[in-house]
Amino acid sequence: MKPSIPKGTRDFSPTEVANRTYIINTIKTTFENFGFQPIETPSFENSETLMGKYGEEGDRLIFKILNSGDYLEKVTEQFLADKNSLKLTPQISEKALRYDLTVPFARYVVQHQNDITFPFKRYQIQPVWRADRPQKGRFREFYQCDADVVGSDSLWQEIDFIKLYDTVFSNLGLKGTTIKINNRKILSGIVEVIGASDKLIDFTVALDKLDKIGKEGVENEMISKGISKEAIAKVQPLFDFSGNNLNKLTSLENLLITSEEGKKGVSELRFIIENIQQLGLQSADLEIDVTLARGLNYYTGAIFEVAAPKSVSMGSIGGGGRYDDLTGIFGLKDVSGVGISFGLDRIYLVLEELQLFEKVALPKPTVLFLNFGDQEALFCMKAIAELRKDGIKSELYPEATKLKKQLNYADKREIPFVVIVGSQEVEKQVFTLKNMISGEQTSCSLSTLFGVVNK
RNA sequence: GUGGUUGUAGCUCAGUUGGUUAGAGCGCUAGAUUGUGGUUCUAGAAGUCGCCGGUUCGAGCCCGGUCUUCCACCCCA
């Protein structure tokens, strides 16, 4: 059998793990700096917790876990004969791998509501799974790094999340990201103004493609979804929406003058934009993007998405938003939440492409003791124990093979110091220390050895 | 889920209109050098040509299926 791993999954080499750890630690440190606390949830949930939360497409992409034991035992002949996967699945699968971290978090909040002090600020860095077809920057197993606040509907949270995005990317040395922001209420307002409130999703999904298929393409898609030409004519300003954020706010205010909800959305957006202007951002740009229509299944206010620097071709590296009623699904009403997510795997690809990983050093020993036989090895192990006590990474070459091979190993692993202890050294109780970079070699005592390698 | 693309040694890749024993570089192992790596030289090992089936006297090459890779759509981090 040829060994292989499932489609869309990956193995990580020591270098890759070091790089990933560096990103995770940067994000983690920044999260904690902003006052978030970590939680973890199981990698799989009860199916009913996840199903129906991400729309029809989402349900299809959730990995279902087959029941244990004879999972067909209780299924009636009728269900098997019908061959209806949608109806059969709940009977043979009661658990599913988590699809994101937001819904499990909402479940967590409701389940532990009595132990939580609100507003509750949590972060969570764990893998999620989607039965998607892999592509560039798209995997079936990948990590999300989420920070959310529940129990506060203050817009200062949104402002703080924008600062959080900016801080993380600055700390990673990733300049030129764009934080795009929109508001669900603005989208609702627009469809209300054009009299197509029942077509919110179709309208926004089409509008979202403006970048990709252009104005005509969007109009055609809207028409094909049953939105009238008159309605489309009313939102012409959206198609050539330009200028700075304040200009955009003004034209949105004019467009949405007859919609209470729309006006509310614009004023929320204005509050955020104006305060961010006062506070300033280090490396990211904040940009109003009315075509942004992610996560409409639960976002109710702000919607965020982060685009990588323009020189890199990569989908969004982060997303988030405000959800007023996510916990409502699990029975806890009137708790507003807002949060953002970082896509670790995509950030990795972006940093790699921009060569921002140089600083990350692989863990490796500082000193390698060569092995000349059991007697010499014992002598070395005593010294190694002393070195390790002082935090100097050291190891013994496990086998007494020829020196060429042992030195070659040190060379390959880029170990800076090698200690050679043969019978002569044991007899004199000294160490021959070799600097692998200069090739220099000296005979010395253990304390001298300490001094040299500890620099 | 739809359409396309890819797969040959551990790695990166050659392989002509289908024709004898499928090659190269790097890496690996051994030796030149029995206590000295990086450079050099010599030799060697290593492949069910993704898998299954078909066409053919003959398939790495053609056809079908399947898995995998990457890409676009859908959707998304």
Side-chain angles (χ1 to χ4, degrees):
Chain A
M1 188 188 106
K2 206 174 183 178
S4 65
I5 54 174
K7 174 162 52 173
T9 64
R10 296 147 299 155
D11 287 326
F12 298 113
S13 68
T15 309
E16 288 166 324
V17 170
N19 287 341
R20 288 168 67 87
T21 306
Y22 157 72
I23 299 174
I24 289 172
N25 285 344
T26 304
I27 292 175
K28 201 188 249 185
T29 307
T30 313
F31 280 174
E32 291 182 0
N33 186 236
F34 274 63
F36 291 88
Q37 293 180 309
I39 68 159
E40 291 190 9
T41 63
S43 44
F44 55 96
E45 295 270 351
N46 294 325
S47 296
E48 53 185 27
T49 303
L50 305 181
M51 296 300 284
K53 308 298 190 298
Y54 310 100
E56 215 175 296
E57 181 75 6
D59 282 357
R60 190 170 66 75
L61 297 177
I62 290 172
F63 274 109
K64 285 97 186 166
I65 297 172
L66 226 39
N67 290 345
S68 315
D70 186 1
Y71 54 84
L72 283 182
E73 196 181 16
K74 292 174 192 160
V75 180
T76 62
E77 293 296 329
Q78 190 57 52
F79 271 105
L80 291 175
D82 285 353
K83 286 200 164 185
N84 184 329
S85 307
L86 236 49
K87 286 189 176 155
L88 184 62
T89 305
Q91 305 212 17
I92 59 173
S93 161
E94 288 159 356
K95 298 172 289 299
L97 289 178
R98 89 178 143 234
Y99 176 89
D100 73 354
L101 301 178
T102 308
V103 169
F105 173 55
R107 190 223 83 222
Y108 177 98
V109 168
V110 177
Q111 203 173 324
H112 302 279
Q113 49 185 290
N114 295 326
D115 312 316
I116 291 173
T117 310
F118 293 98
F120 180 47
K121 298 176 72 172
R122 87 85 171 77
Y123 76 85
Q124 193 171 353
I125 299 174
Q126 289 190 280
V128 302
W129 295 269
R130 295 184 188 176
D132 213 348
R133 203 177 275 206
Q135 242 182 81
K136 186 180 184 184
R138 173 180 291 191
F139 308 98
R140 302 180 101 177
E141 176 182 60
F142 62 96
Y143 269 70
Q144 288 192 330
C145 315
D146 275 32
D148 289 77
V149 181
V150 289
S152 162
D153 49 17
S154 163
L155 288 172
W156 288 104
Q157 306 291 6
E158 274 84 340
I159 290 164
D160 212 22
F161 278 121
I162 292 167
K163 291 293 287 180
L164 177 56
Y165 264 140
D166 180 54
T167 307
V168 166
F169 292 124
S170 301
N171 289 348
L172 288 170
L174 182 60
K175 293 174 184 143
T177 55
T178 305
I179 303 168
K180 297 180 191 170
I181 182 170
N182 194 13
N183 194 300
R184 164 71 175 258
K185 298 187 178 85
I186 290 177
L187 294 171
S188 300
I190 292 169
V191 290
E192 183 191 331
V193 165
I194 64 174
S197 287
D198 56 325
K199 298 259 169 34
L200 174 69
I201 301 283
D202 287 336
F203 177 87
T204 50
V205 165
L207 187 61
D208 190 38
K209 293 179 192 162
L210 185 59
D211 264 1
K212 221 175 251 174
I213 60 179
K215 180 177 162 181
E216 260 181 57
V218 172
E219 288 181 350
N220 288 337
E221 181 164 332
M222 287 181 176
I223 289 167
S224 79
K225 296 286 183 185
I227 296 166
S228 72
K229 283 191 178 174
E230 295 72 37
I232 294 167
K234 281 187 196 161
V235 291
Q236 280 305 308
L238 291 181
F239 292 129
D240 18 53
F241 206 60
S242 57
N244 64 28
N245 287 338
L246 295 178
N247 295 145
K248 288 178 180 174
L249 285 170
T250 308
S251 58
L252 281 173
E253 271 156 6
N254 293 333
L255 183 68
L256 297 171
I257 199 130
T258 59
S259 162
E260 280 310 312
E261 189 174 13
K263 278 195 287 190
K264 178 124 197 306
V266 180
S267 86
E268 285 182 9
L269 199 50
R270 180 179 286 283
F271 183 82
I272 294 165
I273 297 279
E274 287 180 351
N275 280 294
I276 285 291
Q277 267 185 1
Q278 293 289 315
L279 291 163
L281 296 177
Q282 291 176 70
S283 68
D285 289 318
L286 179 63
E287 185 186 304
I288 294 177
D289 183 354
V290 286
T291 71
L292 190 57
R294 297 298 157 95
L296 285 179
N297 285 297
Y298 45 79
Y299 291 145
T300 52
I303 303 172
F304 301 113
E305 180 170 313
V306 184
K310 290 175 185 70
S311 58
V312 186
S313 119
M314 176 64 63
S316 62
I317 56 174
R322 163 78 66 175
Y323 41 89
D324 280 331
D325 201 34
L326 196 59
T327 57
I329 312 163
F330 300 115
L332 182 61
K333 301 282 178 202
D334 300 319
V335 177
S336 184
V338 57
I340 60 174
S341 179
F342 292 80
L344 170 67
D345 305 81
R346 288 189 178 175
I347 290 170
Y348 185 104
L349 292 172
V350 171
L351 293 185
E352 189 178 45
E353 194 165 332
L354 297 176
Q355 301 183 320
L356 295 171
F357 274 134
E358 310 155 48
K359 297 172 275 182
V360 179
L362 265 186
K364 65 181 179 198
T366 310
V367 193
L368 176 75
F369 284 71
L370 301 196
N371 191 331
F372 278 71
D374 288 343
Q375 216 180 330
E376 292 87 346
L378 179 63
F379 181 80
C380 289
M381 284 302 276
K382 288 175 184 166
I384 287 170
E386 293 301 314
L387 287 170
R388 287 176 178 166
K389 235 184 253 173
D390 271 29
I392 298 165
K393 300 190 199 83
S394 41
E395 68 180 46
L396 172 76
Y397 193 87
E399 271 139 89
T401 54
K402 38 181 95 164
L403 280 206
K404 181 187 170 80
K405 194 168 177 185
Q406 301 194 36
L407 284 165
N408 207 279
Y409 172 83
D411 206 44
K412 285 274 158 58
R413 290 195 63 188
E414 298 180 314
I415 296 169
F417 294 102
V418 160
V419 172
I420 302 164
V421 175
S423 53
Q424 298 159 35
E425 281 87 352
V426 174
E427 201 174 310
K428 293 182 197 156
Q429 297 284 302
V430 292
F431 300 86
T432 299
L433 177 64
K434 183 181 172 74
N435 181 321
M436 289 298 281
I437 297 150
S438 64
E440 253 179 288
Q441 208 166 297
T442 50
S443 181
C444 62
S445 67
L446 187 58
S447 62
T448 315
L449 194 153
F450 258 81
V452 176
V453 303
N454 210 7
K455 269 179 203 163

